[in-house]
Amino acid sequence: MVDLYVYYKVAAADAAALAPQVAAMQARLAHSEGVQAQLKRRPGDQDGLQTWMEVYPGVPAAFESA
């Protein structure tokens, strides 16, 4: 089992629309793969961008393909 961290940049203008889409994807993964995902965001924006991080603790090595 490993912890998987996925970092990416999101345009601040797109954040409100993207957050529920990420939450829905994580809910599907929770149901299909049995993982408890988290979505985190670095406070503040830089140059109109936000840094987001998805956290998937204790997943099997084959989870990345899901």
Side-chain angles (χ1 to χ4, degrees):
M1 299 276 227
V2 297
D3 294 343
L4 179 65
Y5 299 88
V6 181
Y7 289 89
Y8 49 94
K9 300 283 187 177
V10 174
D14 297 331
L18 184 59
Q21 294 178 29
V22 173
M25 177 201 61
Q26 289 181 326
R28 286 190 302 274
L29 287 171
H31 179 13
S32 67
E33 304 296 323
V35 299
Q36 296 303 315
Q38 301 169 18
L39 178 61
K40 300 182 180 279
R41 182 177 76 85
R42 179 174 285 155
D45 301 351
Q46 185 173 14
D47 298 324
L49 297 173
Q50 299 175 357
T51 302
W52 288 18
M53 176 178 67
E54 296 175 36
V55 181
Y56 300 89
V59 298
F63 175 75
E64 289 184 38
S65 64

